[in-house]
Amino acid sequence: MGRLEPINLDTYQPLREVVCEALRDAIKRGILEPGERLMEVQVADELGISRTPVREAIRKLEQEGYVIMMPRRGTYVADVSESDVKEIFEIRSALEALATGLAARRIEPEELETLQSFLVDIEGYIKANDIEKIVETDIKFHGLLYQVSRNERLVGIISNLKEQLARFRTLSMSYPGRLQETLEEHSDMVDAIANGDVSAARDAAEHHMERAEKTLLKALRRSKRQATK
């Protein structure tokens, strides 16, 4: 390893949460790669802390799907198979449709305006080819969409599923043609919500998930082909 930066201990957050965020970010950014072994002592040394918060953070990351703990073999950064992607999207599709349908019933005018403003922002970032801002705004868009469902349990479940594939968000968004497709799919969802059309909102969300799944699978296959060259 030897690629992790010492963490800032001067924070109000519990140390295990700070460690969890640091490791999660390193996995998302590819600093810690799929299949790589995580050794508590080495991680603790690099972060400049004791082993206990590292152990606690790794347990949480296992629950989120970022790492796998194998008896007598150790802890490894989780890889994601095509089967994993399909399973996650199968569940997400149903939940995203539910959330978007509920949003069509429950959204307030100012919330609708904010969703629409996110679309304008994303369109501008696409023209500027600012992937980082696009991803950041996409996260805000979906976060508000879930919030508008007014169902906290639903929000928690969807958020957990999204986190399991979060490290691939930029890879998927960067796939040729995907940015404009995403903007159009989001627009269809917002239009249906604005019209209070629950059925159309659900259909738009399911279509968005279907396209997102197909793009991610293609992006992962392309990435693996390039890695073997």
Side-chain angles (χ1 to χ4, degrees), residues 37 80 136 162:
R37 187 176 183 184
V80 177
E136 180 183 313
K162 281 177 66 67

Side-chain angles (χ1 to χ4, degrees), residues 39-91:
M39 301 182 69
E40 288 181 10
V41 174
Q42 188 173 357
V43 171
D45 286 346
E46 290 186 29
L47 296 179
I49 56 174
S50 67
R51 291 177 59 184
T52 299
V54 172
R55 186 179 305 117
E56 294 173 345
I58 286 176
R59 286 173 183 160
K60 182 174 181 181
L61 291 174
E62 182 187 28
Q63 294 174 350
E64 296 177 357
Y66 282 95
V67 304
I68 53 175
M69 300 175 70
M70 305 176 69
R72 297 181 296 280
R73 292 185 58 187
T75 301
Y76 297 82
V77 177
D79 199 353
V80 177
S81 67
E82 290 193 10
S83 177
D84 293 327
V85 172
K86 291 175 181 178
E87 286 185 1
I88 291 170
F89 270 100
E90 193 169 48
I91 301 170

Side-chain angles (χ1 to χ4, degrees), residues 63-130:
Q63 294 174 350
E64 296 177 357
Y66 282 95
V67 304
I68 53 175
M69 300 175 70
M70 305 176 69
R72 297 181 296 280
R73 292 185 58 187
T75 301
Y76 297 82
V77 177
D79 199 353
V80 177
S81 67
E82 290 193 10
S83 177
D84 293 327
V85 172
K86 291 175 181 178
E87 286 185 1
I88 291 170
F89 270 100
E90 193 169 48
I91 301 170
R92 268 195 67 188
S93 181
L95 297 180
E96 293 271 353
L98 174 59
T100 309
L102 291 174
R105 289 196 185 104
R106 300 172 178 175
I107 196 165
E108 297 292 338
E110 62 273 15
E111 293 168 332
L112 177 59
E113 289 180 7
T114 303
L115 279 181
Q116 292 168 331
S117 72
F118 285 150
L119 296 182
V120 174
D121 291 342
I122 291 174
E123 185 173 19
Y125 295 139
I126 290 175
K127 292 177 180 177
N129 196 33
D130 191 335

Side-chain angles (χ1 to χ4, degrees), residues 33-228:
E33 300 176 350
E36 182 171 350
R37 187 176 183 184
L38 296 182
M39 301 182 69
E40 288 181 10
V41 174
Q42 188 173 357
V43 171
D45 286 346
E46 290 186 29
L47 296 179
I49 56 174
S50 67
R51 291 177 59 184
T52 299
V54 172
R55 186 179 305 117
E56 294 173 345
I58 286 176
R59 286 173 183 160
K60 182 174 181 181
L61 291 174
E62 182 187 28
Q63 294 174 350
E64 296 177 357
Y66 282 95
V67 304
I68 53 175
M69 300 175 70
M70 305 176 69
R72 297 181 296 280
R73 292 185 58 187
T75 301
Y76 297 82
V77 177
D79 199 353
V80 177
S81 67
E82 290 193 10
S83 177
D84 293 327
V85 172
K86 291 175 181 178
E87 286 185 1
I88 291 170
F89 270 100
E90 193 169 48
I91 301 170
R92 268 195 67 188
S93 181
L95 297 180
E96 293 271 353
L98 174 59
T100 309
L102 291 174
R105 289 196 185 104
R106 300 172 178 175
I107 196 165
E108 297 292 338
E110 62 273 15
E111 293 168 332
L112 177 59
E113 289 180 7
T114 303
L115 279 181
Q116 292 168 331
S117 72
F118 285 150
L119 296 182
V120 174
D121 291 342
I122 291 174
E123 185 173 19
Y125 295 139
I126 290 175
K127 292 177 180 177
N129 196 33
D130 191 335
I131 295 293
E132 185 175 337
K133 282 293 186 180
I134 293 169
V135 170
E136 180 183 313
T137 310
D138 180 73
I139 292 171
K140 292 178 181 178
F141 175 88
H142 282 281
L144 178 56
L145 186 63
Y146 305 150
Q147 179 184 324
V148 170
S149 74
R150 311 282 191 251
N151 188 316
E152 291 301 320
R153 287 180 174 81
L154 177 59
V155 173
I157 296 170
I158 295 180
S159 297
N160 180 271
L161 286 169
K162 281 177 66 67
E163 279 299 316
Q164 293 183 36
L165 295 177
R167 73 183 107 157
F168 304 111
R169 187 178 286 119
T170 299
L171 177 67
S172 180
M173 286 287 194
S174 300
Y175 196 82
R178 183 56 192 157
L179 292 179
Q180 191 60 41
E181 287 179 353
T182 299
L183 179 60
E184 292 169 3
E185 291 158 17
H186 283 177
S187 295
D188 289 342
M189 292 164 66
V190 172
D191 287 346
I193 291 171
N195 292 330
D197 191 331
V198 175
S199 178
R202 291 178 62 92
D203 288 345
E206 288 178 352
H207 177 68
H208 177 49
M209 286 295 98
E210 178 184 344
R211 296 301 304 162
E213 177 186 354
K214 288 181 178 179
T215 301
L216 178 54
L217 288 173
K218 288 189 290 187
L220 286 171
R221 290 165 190 158
R222 186 177 69 168
S223 178
K224 289 180 180 179
R225 285 197 303 269
Q226 292 173 341
T228 57

